[in-house]
Amino acid sequence: MKRLIEAADIQSKVSELGRRIADEYRGRPLTVIGVLTGGVVLVSDLIRSIDLPLRVGMIHASSYRGKATSPGDITLDVELLPDIRDRHVLVVDDIFDTGRTLAAVIDHIRTANPCSVRGAVLLWKERRREIDWEPHYFGFKIPDVFVVGYGLDYNDEHRSLPYVAALEEGDF
Ligand code: 5GP
Ligand code: MG
């Protein structure tokens, strides 16, 4: 594996995002929705960097189904989604790749009539975008390589790495 982004750089970026989000949502009812499973690491670090009262919920989205293949249909499980009517929603995921996952989550969230919806991701593979929408907050733009760590898995492993690494030929 080749390390792409060190843990300390992720931590300072997440703190910076948290401060920005706190400034922009101050005085407004905020609900942060993490996208399971890859979004759990960012959501847990990010909410502790947002110095505001907020609520937390989760939604489960799967497209890769544990394999490093191209994304198929996106399945949403909305069982853990709290009531978001009259709240400002920030959806937090690990990575924006084609954008289809976040778009599906946000389309669903909009049907529940929140005041607003924005997206936040740690990583953004800018050149892979397939939809006409972009994340409002992002940590780092990365090239089109398969990455693991900080929530991102390969066959359900490596999610707990505190840094982001790219898998190389022999790693698959
Ligand atoms: P999208 O729907 O934007 O194409 O893909 C988003 C989802 O695909 C992410 O939440 C993540 O689960 C998965 N994904 C996309 N690129 C990568 C990658 O480089 N590494 C890993 N581990 N997962 C990825
Ligand atoms: Mg994911």
Side-chain angles (χ1 to χ4, degrees), residues 148-161:
V148 296
Y150 205 78
L152 292 144
D153 74 303
Y154 173 60
N155 283 337
D156 243 344
E157 288 176 6
H158 310 305
R159 288 194 201 276
S160 58
L161 296 175

Side-chain angles (χ1 to χ4, degrees), residues 3-14 45 122 140 150 161-164:
R3 285 203 194 197
L4 274 194
I5 309 169
E6 293 299 338
D9 297 327
I10 297 175
Q11 290 308 322
S12 57
K13 182 64 80 176
V14 171
D45 280 349
L122 182 74
F140 304 91
Y150 205 78
L161 296 175
Y163 53 85
V164 169

Side-chain angles (χ1 to χ4, degrees), residues 96 102 106 118-121 123-124 129 133-138:
F96 188 93
L102 221 45
I106 281 174
R118 282 178 178 173
V121 293
L123 305 174
W124 185 1
R129 182 152 69 105
W133 188 86
E134 19 186 84
H136 195 91
Y137 304 98
F138 70 95

Side-chain angles (χ1 to χ4, degrees), residues 35-39 61-64 93-95 101 151-153 159:
V35 181
L36 295 170
T37 304
S62 42
S63 58
Y64 272 74
D93 202 359
D94 46 10
I95 191 167
T101 304
L152 292 144
D153 74 303
R159 288 194 201 276

Side-chain angles (χ1 to χ4, degrees), residues 56-131:
V56 184
M58 294 287 173
I59 190 168
H60 183 259
S62 42
S63 58
Y64 272 74
R65 298 169 199 281
K67 294 195 294 278
T69 56
S70 52
D73 288 339
I74 288 141
T75 313
L76 295 183
D77 179 348
V78 300
E79 194 88 345
L80 299 172
L81 197 64
D83 187 3
I84 50 174
R85 233 172 327 158
D86 303 326
R87 302 198 53 91
H88 293 271
V89 174
L90 181 63
V91 179
V92 175
D93 202 359
D94 46 10
I95 191 167
F96 188 93
D97 182 21
T98 65
R100 294 186 180 282
T101 304
L102 221 45
V105 170
I106 281 174
D107 279 352
H108 178 80
I109 299 248
R110 288 214 170 103
T111 65
N113 291 317
C115 300
S116 70
V117 194
R118 282 178 178 173
V121 293
L122 182 74
L123 305 174
W124 185 1
K125 288 184 189 170
E126 211 178 7
R127 288 213 297 268
R128 299 245 314 154
R129 182 152 69 105
E130 289 179 7
I131 55 153

